[in-house]
Amino acid sequence: MINEKVLLTGGNGFLGKYLAKVLSMRGAEVTINSRGAGEKLNGKENYSFLIKDIMEITAEELLRYSIIFHLAALTPQKSPNEEEIYTKNVEMVQHLLEMLARNRQKVKFVFASSAGVYGFAPEKVFREEDVLNPQNAYARAKAEGEELIRKYAQKFPFLSDYLILR
């Protein structure tokens, strides 16, 4: 991670705060994307902030990053509107991929998906190769985001270095 330039969407969220700290401790130069005013997540780390909506990030702004961690998402806790949850989450992934494709930019893309893409089965241990069965807008958006990443990687080989986390 030393000297890697990292963009972290969702860096003000629960997971994002911890990931930003670990990346910074490992020598990465971390930029946190946030719609609101930037704040120090911890007084010891020195993060930079890209204060704007993901949908407004330009291709040029992405050129400096070698790794993008996309953790940002509209969750059911933030919006009761199922259509909005699905649409916004899919649009964010597609926008980032489109900007990278426009740049023809080789980048590592890490996407935080959800175990919810498998559906709900109490006491079942899911395997990566299990059939997806998303049962709500959030999980459907995560499954669609995964598919978009795979399609962009097939169409643009420079986007083939990706990781999907469930």
Side-chain angles (χ1 to χ4, degrees):
M1 282 281 132
I2 294 175
N3 297 325
E4 293 279 5
K5 290 181 174 41
V6 175
L7 176 64
L8 175 58
T9 71
N12 283 330
F14 179 75
L15 291 177
K17 289 179 183 180
Y18 291 103
L19 180 58
K21 182 177 181 180
V22 169
L23 292 171
S24 180
M25 287 172 34
R26 294 193 177 185
E29 185 180 315
V30 179
T31 301
I32 295 171
N33 167 246
S34 175
R35 284 177 287 150
E39 59 185 48
K40 295 280 186 199
L41 301 179
N42 180 323
K44 298 176 186 164
E45 284 80 19
N46 184 23
Y47 307 113
S48 58
F49 288 86
L50 177 60
I51 308 299
K52 61 176 19 180
D53 189 282
I54 288 173
M55 299 303 292
E56 297 172 357
I57 294 175
T58 66
E60 294 75 26
E61 288 171 315
L62 294 180
L63 282 170
R64 68 182 306 257
Y65 303 106
S66 55
I67 304 173
I68 296 173
F69 286 87
H70 181 48
L71 276 58
L74 182 60
T75 64
Q77 292 79 16
K78 293 179 187 172
S79 172
N81 185 325
E82 292 269 313
E83 184 177 330
E84 179 184 37
I85 290 170
Y86 177 81
T87 303
K88 286 197 177 211
N89 287 330
V90 171
E91 285 176 348
M92 284 190 286
V93 175
Q94 187 162 18
H95 178 74
L96 289 172
L97 293 170
E98 191 58 38
M99 294 301 101
L100 294 169
R102 193 174 293 173
N103 287 341
R104 303 194 61 74
Q105 183 175 351
K106 183 167 178 53
V107 65
K108 295 173 188 161
F109 192 86
V110 181
F111 177 61
S113 184
S114 168
V117 299
Y118 296 113
F120 303 101
E123 300 182 28
K124 174 162 176 40
V125 176
F126 292 104
R127 295 184 324 257
E128 188 173 346
E129 54 277 348
D130 285 345
V131 175
L132 301 186
N133 184 24
Q135 297 179 4
N136 60 41
Y138 180 78
R140 284 193 306 277
K142 290 297 187 175
E144 179 67 20
E146 292 182 20
E147 187 59 27
L148 280 169
I149 292 165
R150 285 190 283 275
K151 284 180 180 177
Y152 271 79
Q154 286 178 340
K155 186 174 181 180
F156 304 106
F158 52 87
L159 290 177
S160 63
D161 193 2
Y162 67 86
L163 179 63
I164 296 170
L165 307 171
R166 292 183 182 152

